[in-house]
Amino acid sequence: MTEPTSLSLSACSHLPIPFNTSPEPLELIAQGAESLLYKTTFLFPSQPAALKIRPVKKWRHPTLDKRLTRARILAEARVLVKLSGEGIAVGGGGRKVKDPKKGNGVVGGMRGLVPAVLGLDWEGGWLVTEWIEGGTVKEAIYRVSRARTMGGSGVGLSGDAVVEELRGLLRKMGEVVGKLHACGVVHGDLTTSNMMLRPFGTASPQSSKPEGHDEASAQLSTGPAPDVDQPKSTSRSQTSLEGDIVLIDFGLATQSVSDEDRAVDLYVLERAFGSTHPREEELFACVLDAYAHGEGSGMNGKAGKTVIRKLEDVRMRGRKKSMLG
Amino acid sequence: METIVLPHLPDHHLHVCLFVKVHNAQFLRQQLLDGNVDFEYAFLDAAVLLSRQHVLAACFRAINDMLQDRLKSKNVHSEIVFSLSPNNNISDSFRRFGVSEITTEILAVKVGNDQMQVEEHLRKHVEGQAVPFTDEILTSIRNEARIQRAYRVETSSDQADAFIIGSMALKGS
Ligand SMILES: Nc1ncnc2c1ncn2[C@@H]1O[C@H](COP(=O)(O)OP(=O)(O)OP(=O)(O)O)[C@@H](O)[C@H]1O
Ligand SMILES: [Mg+2]
């Protein structure tokens, strides 16, 4: 007799306490190699939350498995909390990372651009964060990519307008990565599915917002609110790339200000972007340009240019490696 | 008096009552010090509470730690007080977040038991005025300076709530 191997079934019965006995709906959103991501609630029945669990790996030695689970849950939570305290925590919530860009208009820059931690249990292997509305950047790009196809046949936007929108989105990606790096953190797994595009005005009122993007200013600046019912095929695609980019999935993040680490972070994103969005690959230069020159970047100026130069080396090494292997 | 059910903890109802103009805090504190079992409440100093979310995050952590058999303090009620603290010092947490002799705004939290009984008991023994447990009222009675000191933040509590709740959740790691 063989055991049933349906992953999602066995996963449900292995939810940690107290979620294993919960009457509350838990909607499986994503199943990664190491973790399961559920949409559920946490402190209020009306407030959606993201529950990430790292199920026990039966094939790993139990002590080692526990240690790894604990380390990754804590690594992610610590970085998220550190970033949510940028610019407001006395003493920076621990060791202060030395960085010349700090105090240059982007202090506290990541606050509100990462999900708030609501609860965790490193022994139980779970982490609950605020739910980010709007879907991933990957989905958003796929969506406008379809509109771009339709543009040629007279439906929706012209191809040029879509490309302009995409450029804007990519610039925002570069700026947010620049902000993150300026906070002394490298993400470790930058992809378009680890970036959410949160429409303006949908940030949870309980969570802190980045300066200058409170509800009021967002509504003034963005035309139709995202929740206004509009015929989807036309106006939806015009506003669909507006919003803040929120970074998620910090399980591999580390504190670092090294140019090399920063360049590798960008390289990982470049490679992931190229394979996920081959049609948009040529636009990736916008990300790098905004990283090194964008007003909201935090890495604009000399530091950013050094990282971009380093990126060239990292690419070279990558190419050599792929020629060898 | 309000009964709150946390989404994933349906068996642990929270009976919550916010009192202002309390003038027998000394008596209430004495019951806790004496270990009077009729007074198993979390009596929180409402001046250091940010929001309902802040309180509920502490309650979730305390109940979860109880379910996992790793309470650091005497019972789930003292653990709620401890859970509000960003550091591991239990007596420090009682001093900062618990009722003191001069506290005039108190949030009483009881995990479990019958709502009617809890309400009757509180109304009989807490000499103060019961008001709704809302974010607005919490905001109006909170002490910014004390919150900033307790959580080591240097800005208004509203901007710091993600950091504060996150620090509570990470405590002991
Ligand atoms: N806070 C959130 N709000 C909304 N959706 C989220 C949130 N966190 C994650 N998601 C969704 O779930 C997916 C998977 O989450 P995440 O990237 O954190 O996990 P993962 O890739 O499985 O993690 P890991 O690489 O650490 O094992 C995301 O791509 C996104 O679609
Ligand atoms: Mg991911």
Side-chain angles (χ1 to χ4, degrees), chain A residues 65-91:
Chain A
D65 185 56
K66 244 190 138 83
R67 231 178 25 224
L68 285 174
T69 297
R70 181 192 147 98
R72 296 207 49 194
I73 292 273
L74 280 173
E76 176 154 26
R78 284 192 181 122
V79 169
L80 289 174
V81 172
K82 173 196 147 72
L83 290 172
S84 66
E86 271 304 311
I88 58 178
V90 177

PDB file of all heavy atoms in Angstrom, chain A residues 65-91:
ATOM      1  N   ASP A  65      15.720  20.271  10.950  1.00  0.00           N
ATOM      2  CA  ASP A  65      14.534  20.860  10.329  1.00  0.00           C
ATOM      3  C   ASP A  65      13.976  21.980  11.193  1.00  0.00           C
ATOM      4  O   ASP A  65      13.659  23.064  10.715  1.00  0.00           O
ATOM      5  CB  ASP A  65      13.482  19.772  10.116  1.00  0.00           C
ATOM      6  CG  ASP A  65      12.273  20.313   9.350  1.00  0.00           C
ATOM      7  OD1 ASP A  65      12.477  20.847   8.256  1.00  0.00           O
ATOM      8  OD2 ASP A  65      11.144  20.214   9.869  1.00  0.00           O
ATOM      9  N   LYS A  66      13.891  21.723  12.487  1.00  0.00           N
ATOM     10  CA  LYS A  66      13.387  22.727  13.416  1.00  0.00           C
ATOM     11  C   LYS A  66      14.261  23.966  13.400  1.00  0.00           C
ATOM     12  O   LYS A  66      13.773  25.093  13.409  1.00  0.00           O
ATOM     13  CB  LYS A  66      13.368  22.142  14.839  1.00  0.00           C
ATOM     14  CG  LYS A  66      11.965  22.014  15.424  1.00  0.00           C
ATOM     15  CD  LYS A  66      12.048  21.673  16.907  1.00  0.00           C
ATOM     16  CE  LYS A  66      11.033  22.461  17.694  1.00  0.00           C
ATOM     17  NZ  LYS A  66       9.701  21.934  17.720  1.00  0.00           N
ATOM     18  N   ARG A  67      15.557  23.731  13.355  1.00  0.00           N
ATOM     19  CA  ARG A  67      16.482  24.855  13.384  1.00  0.00           C
ATOM     20  C   ARG A  67      16.376  25.702  12.118  1.00  0.00           C
ATOM     21  O   ARG A  67      16.386  26.924  12.173  1.00  0.00           O
ATOM     22  CB  ARG A  67      17.906  24.338  13.570  1.00  0.00           C
ATOM     23  CG  ARG A  67      18.559  25.064  14.698  1.00  0.00           C
ATOM     24  CD  ARG A  67      19.952  24.694  15.102  1.00  0.00           C
ATOM     25  NE  ARG A  67      20.803  24.094  14.139  1.00  0.00           N
ATOM     26  CZ  ARG A  67      21.578  23.045  14.414  1.00  0.00           C
ATOM     27  NH1 ARG A  67      21.531  22.487  15.608  1.00  0.00           N
ATOM     28  NH2 ARG A  67      22.387  22.560  13.499  1.00  0.00           N
ATOM     29  N   LEU A  68      16.251  25.037  10.987  1.00  0.00           N
ATOM     30  CA  LEU A  68      16.149  25.768   9.720  1.00  0.00           C
ATOM     31  C   LEU A  68      14.844  26.554   9.631  1.00  0.00           C
ATOM     32  O   LEU A  68      14.823  27.713   9.215  1.00  0.00           O
ATOM     33  CB  LEU A  68      16.239  24.794   8.537  1.00  0.00           C
ATOM     34  CG  LEU A  68      17.639  24.250   8.243  1.00  0.00           C
ATOM     35  CD1 LEU A  68      17.577  23.194   7.141  1.00  0.00           C
ATOM     36  CD2 LEU A  68      18.574  25.376   7.834  1.00  0.00           C
ATOM     37  N   THR A  69      13.750  25.903  10.021  1.00  0.00           N
ATOM     38  CA  THR A  69      12.448  26.563  10.002  1.00  0.00           C
ATOM     39  C   THR A  69      12.477  27.816  10.853  1.00  0.00           C
ATOM     40  O   THR A  69      12.086  28.901  10.433  1.00  0.00           O
ATOM     41  CB  THR A  69      11.366  25.606  10.554  1.00  0.00           C
ATOM     42  OG1 THR A  69      11.288  24.484   9.694  1.00  0.00           O
ATOM     43  CG2 THR A  69      10.006  26.288  10.623  1.00  0.00           C
ATOM     44  N   ARG A  70      12.982  27.647  12.054  1.00  0.00           N
ATOM     45  CA  ARG A  70      13.085  28.746  12.994  1.00  0.00           C
ATOM     46  C   ARG A  70      13.923  29.887  12.430  1.00  0.00           C
ATOM     47  O   ARG A  70      13.542  31.053  12.474  1.00  0.00           O
ATOM     48  CB  ARG A  70      13.732  28.170  14.263  1.00  0.00           C
ATOM     49  CG  ARG A  70      13.922  29.094  15.397  1.00  0.00           C
ATOM     50  CD  ARG A  70      14.847  28.427  16.427  1.00  0.00           C
ATOM     51  NE  ARG A  70      15.632  29.452  17.061  1.00  0.00           N
ATOM     52  CZ  ARG A  70      15.321  29.978  18.245  1.00  0.00           C
ATOM     53  NH1 ARG A  70      14.297  29.518  18.919  1.00  0.00           N
ATOM     54  NH2 ARG A  70      16.039  30.945  18.748  1.00  0.00           N
ATOM     55  N   ALA A  71      15.053  29.525  11.842  1.00  0.00           N
ATOM     56  CA  ALA A  71      15.962  30.546  11.320  1.00  0.00           C
ATOM     57  C   ALA A  71      15.317  31.340  10.188  1.00  0.00           C
ATOM     58  O   ALA A  71      15.452  32.562  10.122  1.00  0.00           O
ATOM     59  CB  ALA A  71      17.262  29.890  10.842  1.00  0.00           C
ATOM     60  N   ARG A  72      14.586  30.663   9.315  1.00  0.00           N
ATOM     61  CA  ARG A  72      14.028  31.376   8.167  1.00  0.00           C
ATOM     62  C   ARG A  72      12.828  32.223   8.553  1.00  0.00           C
ATOM     63  O   ARG A  72      12.670  33.336   8.066  1.00  0.00           O
ATOM     64  CB  ARG A  72      13.679  30.392   7.054  1.00  0.00           C
ATOM     65  CG  ARG A  72      14.952  29.728   6.544  1.00  0.00           C
ATOM     66  CD  ARG A  72      14.883  29.256   5.128  1.00  0.00           C
ATOM     67  NE  ARG A  72      14.387  30.222   4.182  1.00  0.00           N
ATOM     68  CZ  ARG A  72      14.009  29.884   2.949  1.00  0.00           C
ATOM     69  NH1 ARG A  72      14.064  28.625   2.578  1.00  0.00           N
ATOM     70  NH2 ARG A  72      13.582  30.797   2.122  1.00  0.00           N
ATOM     71  N   ILE A  73      11.984  31.697   9.437  1.00  0.00           N
ATOM     72  CA  ILE A  73      10.852  32.498   9.922  1.00  0.00           C
ATOM     73  C   ILE A  73      11.373  33.756  10.614  1.00  0.00           C
ATOM     74  O   ILE A  73      10.898  34.864  10.382  1.00  0.00           O
ATOM     75  CB  ILE A  73       9.996  31.682  10.937  1.00  0.00           C
ATOM     76  CG1 ILE A  73       9.282  30.536  10.246  1.00  0.00           C
ATOM     77  CG2 ILE A  73       9.038  32.582  11.699  1.00  0.00           C
ATOM     78  CD1 ILE A  73       7.944  30.857   9.652  1.00  0.00           C
ATOM     79  N   LEU A  74      12.384  33.561  11.463  1.00  0.00           N
ATOM     80  CA  LEU A  74      12.902  34.702  12.214  1.00  0.00           C
ATOM     81  C   LEU A  74      13.633  35.687  11.319  1.00  0.00           C
ATOM     82  O   LEU A  74      13.519  36.901  11.499  1.00  0.00           O
ATOM     83  CB  LEU A  74      13.827  34.217  13.334  1.00  0.00           C
ATOM     84  CG  LEU A  74      13.097  33.725  14.577  1.00  0.00           C
ATOM     85  CD1 LEU A  74      14.073  33.118  15.567  1.00  0.00           C
ATOM     86  CD2 LEU A  74      12.321  34.874  15.219  1.00  0.00           C
ATOM     87  N   ALA A  75      14.373  35.167  10.333  1.00  0.00           N
ATOM     88  CA  ALA A  75      15.090  36.072   9.430  1.00  0.00           C
ATOM     89  C   ALA A  75      14.092  36.982   8.730  1.00  0.00           C
ATOM     90  O   ALA A  75      14.278  38.203   8.658  1.00  0.00           O
ATOM     91  CB  ALA A  75      15.887  35.258   8.408  1.00  0.00           C
ATOM     92  N   GLU A  76      13.014  36.388   8.243  1.00  0.00           N
ATOM     93  CA  GLU A  76      12.022  37.183   7.526  1.00  0.00           C
ATOM     94  C   GLU A  76      11.356  38.200   8.451  1.00  0.00           C
ATOM     95  O   GLU A  76      11.275  39.387   8.134  1.00  0.00           O
ATOM     96  CB  GLU A  76      10.962  36.253   6.905  1.00  0.00           C
ATOM     97  CG  GLU A  76       9.836  37.016   6.227  1.00  0.00           C
ATOM     98  CD  GLU A  76       9.137  36.243   5.120  1.00  0.00           C
ATOM     99  OE1 GLU A  76       9.134  35.002   5.158  1.00  0.00           O
ATOM    100  OE2 GLU A  76       8.583  36.909   4.217  1.00  0.00           O
ATOM    101  N   ALA A  77      10.920  37.749   9.633  1.00  0.00           N
ATOM    102  CA  ALA A  77      10.211  38.645  10.543  1.00  0.00           C
ATOM    103  C   ALA A  77      11.118  39.775  11.021  1.00  0.00           C
ATOM    104  O   ALA A  77      10.698  40.934  11.120  1.00  0.00           O
ATOM    105  CB  ALA A  77       9.661  37.860  11.733  1.00  0.00           C
ATOM    106  N   ARG A  78      12.378  39.452  11.320  1.00  0.00           N
ATOM    107  CA  ARG A  78      13.285  40.479  11.839  1.00  0.00           C
ATOM    108  C   ARG A  78      13.526  41.575  10.822  1.00  0.00           C
ATOM    109  O   ARG A  78      13.535  42.759  11.150  1.00  0.00           O
ATOM    110  CB  ARG A  78      14.620  39.856  12.239  1.00  0.00           C
ATOM    111  CG  ARG A  78      14.527  39.110  13.555  1.00  0.00           C
ATOM    112  CD  ARG A  78      15.917  38.759  14.072  1.00  0.00           C
ATOM    113  NE  ARG A  78      15.800  38.023  15.332  1.00  0.00           N
ATOM    114  CZ  ARG A  78      16.285  36.805  15.530  1.00  0.00           C
ATOM    115  NH1 ARG A  78      16.935  36.182  14.559  1.00  0.00           N
ATOM    116  NH2 ARG A  78      16.125  36.214  16.685  1.00  0.00           N
ATOM    117  N   VAL A  79      13.719  41.175   9.567  1.00  0.00           N
ATOM    118  CA  VAL A  79      13.950  42.183   8.540  1.00  0.00           C
ATOM    119  C   VAL A  79      12.698  43.035   8.343  1.00  0.00           C
ATOM    120  O   VAL A  79      12.780  44.264   8.232  1.00  0.00           O
ATOM    121  CB  VAL A  79      14.405  41.530   7.218  1.00  0.00           C
ATOM    122  CG1 VAL A  79      14.385  42.540   6.094  1.00  0.00           C
ATOM    123  CG2 VAL A  79      15.798  40.949   7.375  1.00  0.00           C
ATOM    124  N   LEU A  80      11.525  42.403   8.332  1.00  0.00           N
ATOM    125  CA  LEU A  80      10.288  43.170   8.150  1.00  0.00           C
ATOM    126  C   LEU A  80      10.092  44.173   9.282  1.00  0.00           C
ATOM    127  O   LEU A  80       9.737  45.330   9.049  1.00  0.00           O
ATOM    128  CB  LEU A  80       9.072  42.231   8.058  1.00  0.00           C
ATOM    129  CG  LEU A  80       8.951  41.396   6.781  1.00  0.00           C
ATOM    130  CD1 LEU A  80       7.799  40.406   6.888  1.00  0.00           C
ATOM    131  CD2 LEU A  80       8.759  42.298   5.561  1.00  0.00           C
ATOM    132  N   VAL A  81      10.348  43.735  10.512  1.00  0.00           N
ATOM    133  CA  VAL A  81      10.151  44.641  11.648  1.00  0.00           C
ATOM    134  C   VAL A  81      11.202  45.755  11.623  1.00  0.00           C
ATOM    135  O   VAL A  81      10.885  46.919  11.848  1.00  0.00           O
ATOM    136  CB  VAL A  81      10.174  43.869  12.988  1.00  0.00           C
ATOM    137  CG1 VAL A  81      10.161  44.822  14.177  1.00  0.00           C
ATOM    138  CG2 VAL A  81       8.988  42.911  13.070  1.00  0.00           C
ATOM    139  N   LYS A  82      12.417  45.392  11.312  1.00  0.00           N
ATOM    140  CA  LYS A  82      13.464  46.418  11.199  1.00  0.00           C
ATOM    141  C   LYS A  82      13.064  47.480  10.171  1.00  0.00           C
ATOM    142  O   LYS A  82      13.166  48.679  10.424  1.00  0.00           O
ATOM    143  CB  LYS A  82      14.795  45.777  10.794  1.00  0.00           C
ATOM    144  CG  LYS A  82      15.905  46.784  10.492  1.00  0.00           C
ATOM    145  CD  LYS A  82      17.062  46.134   9.727  1.00  0.00           C
ATOM    146  CE  LYS A  82      17.740  47.081   8.757  1.00  0.00           C
ATOM    147  NZ  LYS A  82      18.559  48.132   9.384  1.00  0.00           N
ATOM    148  N   LEU A  83      12.579  47.026   9.029  1.00  0.00           N
ATOM    149  CA  LEU A  83      12.222  47.988   7.981  1.00  0.00           C
ATOM    150  C   LEU A  83      11.021  48.836   8.384  1.00  0.00           C
ATOM    151  O   LEU A  83      10.937  50.014   8.036  1.00  0.00           O
ATOM    152  CB  LEU A  83      11.948  47.264   6.659  1.00  0.00           C
ATOM    153  CG  LEU A  83      13.182  46.646   5.986  1.00  0.00           C
ATOM    154  CD1 LEU A  83      12.778  45.787   4.801  1.00  0.00           C
ATOM    155  CD2 LEU A  83      14.169  47.733   5.552  1.00  0.00           C
ATOM    156  N   SER A  84      10.082  48.242   9.126  1.00  0.00           N
ATOM    157  CA  SER A  84       8.923  49.036   9.526  1.00  0.00           C
ATOM    158  C   SER A  84       9.294  50.037  10.608  1.00  0.00           C
ATOM    159  O   SER A  84       8.538  50.952  10.904  1.00  0.00           O
ATOM    160  CB  SER A  84       7.771  48.128   9.982  1.00  0.00           C
ATOM    161  OG  SER A  84       8.127  47.447  11.159  1.00  0.00           O
ATOM    162  N   GLY A  85      10.481  49.872  11.200  1.00  0.00           N
ATOM    163  CA  GLY A  85      10.936  50.825  12.211  1.00  0.00           C
ATOM    164  C   GLY A  85      11.950  51.820  11.671  1.00  0.00           C
ATOM    165  O   GLY A  85      12.443  52.661  12.432  1.00  0.00           O
ATOM    166  N   GLU A  86      12.247  51.751  10.393  1.00  0.00           N
ATOM    167  CA  GLU A  86      13.233  52.663   9.795  1.00  0.00           C
ATOM    168  C   GLU A  86      12.875  54.116  10.078  1.00  0.00           C
ATOM    169  O   GLU A  86      11.777  54.567   9.749  1.00  0.00           O
ATOM    170  CB  GLU A  86      13.268  52.491   8.274  1.00  0.00           C
ATOM    171  CG  GLU A  86      14.224  51.447   7.760  1.00  0.00           C
ATOM    172  CD  GLU A  86      15.660  51.636   8.203  1.00  0.00           C
ATOM    173  OE1 GLU A  86      16.180  52.759   8.074  1.00  0.00           O
ATOM    174  OE2 GLU A  86      16.250  50.651   8.661  1.00  0.00           O
ATOM    175  N   GLY A  87      13.803  54.825  10.654  1.00  0.00           N
ATOM    176  CA  GLY A  87      13.588  56.245  10.851  1.00  0.00           C
ATOM    177  C   GLY A  87      12.744  56.594  12.062  1.00  0.00           C
ATOM    178  O   GLY A  87      12.571  57.760  12.372  1.00  0.00           O
ATOM    179  N   ILE A  88      12.190  55.586  12.752  1.00  0.00           N
ATOM    180  CA  ILE A  88      11.396  55.918  13.928  1.00  0.00           C
ATOM    181  C   ILE A  88      11.887  55.206  15.185  1.00  0.00           C
ATOM    182  O   ILE A  88      11.655  55.666  16.283  1.00  0.00           O
ATOM    183  CB  ILE A  88       9.891  55.600  13.741  1.00  0.00           C
ATOM    184  CG1 ILE A  88       9.672  54.135  13.406  1.00  0.00           C
ATOM    185  CG2 ILE A  88       9.277  56.479  12.674  1.00  0.00           C
ATOM    186  CD1 ILE A  88       8.207  53.787  13.256  1.00  0.00           C
ATOM    187  N   ALA A  89      12.593  54.079  15.003  1.00  0.00           N
ATOM    188  CA  ALA A  89      13.052  53.345  16.172  1.00  0.00           C
ATOM    189  C   ALA A  89      14.306  54.006  16.714  1.00  0.00           C
ATOM    190  O   ALA A  89      15.212  54.340  15.960  1.00  0.00           O
ATOM    191  CB  ALA A  89      13.329  51.894  15.816  1.00  0.00           C
ATOM    192  N   VAL A  90      14.340  54.196  18.038  1.00  0.00           N
ATOM    193  CA  VAL A  90      15.525  54.761  18.664  1.00  0.00           C
ATOM    194  C   VAL A  90      16.655  53.757  18.535  1.00  0.00           C
ATOM    195  O   VAL A  90      16.502  52.592  18.893  1.00  0.00           O
ATOM    196  CB  VAL A  90      15.263  55.064  20.157  1.00  0.00           C
ATOM    197  CG1 VAL A  90      16.532  55.585  20.826  1.00  0.00           C
ATOM    198  CG2 VAL A  90      14.118  56.040  20.298  1.00  0.00           C
ATOM    199  N   GLY A  91      17.791  54.190  17.973  1.00  0.00           N
ATOM    200  CA  GLY A  91      18.922  53.282  17.823  1.00  0.00           C
ATOM    201  C   GLY A  91      18.721  52.272  16.723  1.00  0.00           C
ATOM    202  O   GLY A  91      19.449  51.306  16.624  1.00  0.00           O
TER     203      GLY A  91
END
